Amino acid sequence: MTFTRNLDVSFLLSSMGSAKSISEKVVYDPLDDEELDKYANRLQTISIIALAYKVDSLVTSPDNKQDLLLETGTLSYTENENDTPVVLAHFRNLNVADLYAQQAFVAFPSENTDLLAASLMTKKTLRFYITGTVNQTPVTLGVTVRLNIEAKAGLI
């Protein structure tokens, strides 16, 4: 049996005062997804079909909104707290207001998706990170990263 799922990881990123850096860690349990949990003991393979992101919320000064950029950023993950993060994607000069106005998922070039798929197969809790810089503060934005996966489970 083969099935596809969208696994969503939600971040809340803030930068206040003069610091223009943003970072957030989200602990994610893939078995919180009903289908993955249902077939956890019979999973044979998981493949990452696509990675995408969406800006869900945006709070900033009205004067800054249109010019707000995520200048640099990285999406990464680890299996264990002290592991070196595995980079999944890089962001560069993203217009946050335009992305928020779209309210749609945007695919991005990704790397190391085979490693992420293998990590999902362990059925362990993962830690996802977004780190980066914005060109102005204050800003708070919500970002959802979507992992579109295909899983194959064997019969009992």
Side-chain angles (χ1 to χ4, degrees), residues 34 44-45 53 55 75 90-91 108 111 120 127 131:
E34 283 182 29
Q44 296 174 330
T45 62
Y53 65 94
V55 176
L75 170 67
H90 297 275
F91 305 97
F108 53 91
E111 53 192 89
L120 288 170
R127 288 136 194 88
T131 58

Side-chain angles (χ1 to χ4, degrees), residues 28-150:
Y28 180 79
D29 185 347
L31 296 183
D32 285 345
D33 179 84
E34 283 182 29
E35 289 293 302
L36 282 181
D37 185 46
K38 181 177 174 181
Y39 296 105
N41 294 327
R42 295 182 279 163
L43 285 174
Q44 296 174 330
T45 62
I46 293 179
S47 302
I48 308 294
I49 298 168
L51 288 173
Y53 65 94
K54 176 173 81 166
V55 176
D56 298 315
S57 62
L58 172 59
V59 178
T60 188
S61 156
D63 296 340
N64 296 342
K65 200 171 219 170
Q66 291 307 314
D67 299 323
L68 179 62
L69 295 177
L70 178 57
E71 293 179 318
T72 62
T74 304
L75 170 67
S76 58
Y77 85 97
T78 62
E79 285 187 26
N80 300 300
E81 190 71 39
N82 296 321
D83 290 350
T84 300
V86 175
V87 174
L88 296 171
H90 297 275
F91 305 97
R92 186 162 208 82
N93 293 325
L94 298 179
N95 185 305
V96 178
D98 287 350
L99 291 167
Y100 177 63
Q102 288 178 28
Q103 283 300 297
F105 279 95
V106 177
F108 53 91
S110 52
E111 53 192 89
N112 296 316
T113 55
D114 290 344
L115 291 174
L116 176 58
S119 293
L120 288 170
M121 281 295 295
T122 68
K123 298 169 268 192
K124 293 180 185 173
T125 299
L126 303 176
R127 288 136 194 88
F128 286 92
Y129 306 87
I130 289 183
T131 58
T133 58
V134 291
N135 65 334
Q136 51 197 325
T137 62
V139 63
T140 300
L141 58 131
V143 175
T144 298
V145 173
R146 176 166 282 174
L147 290 70
N148 181 250
I149 67 161
E150 181 178 272

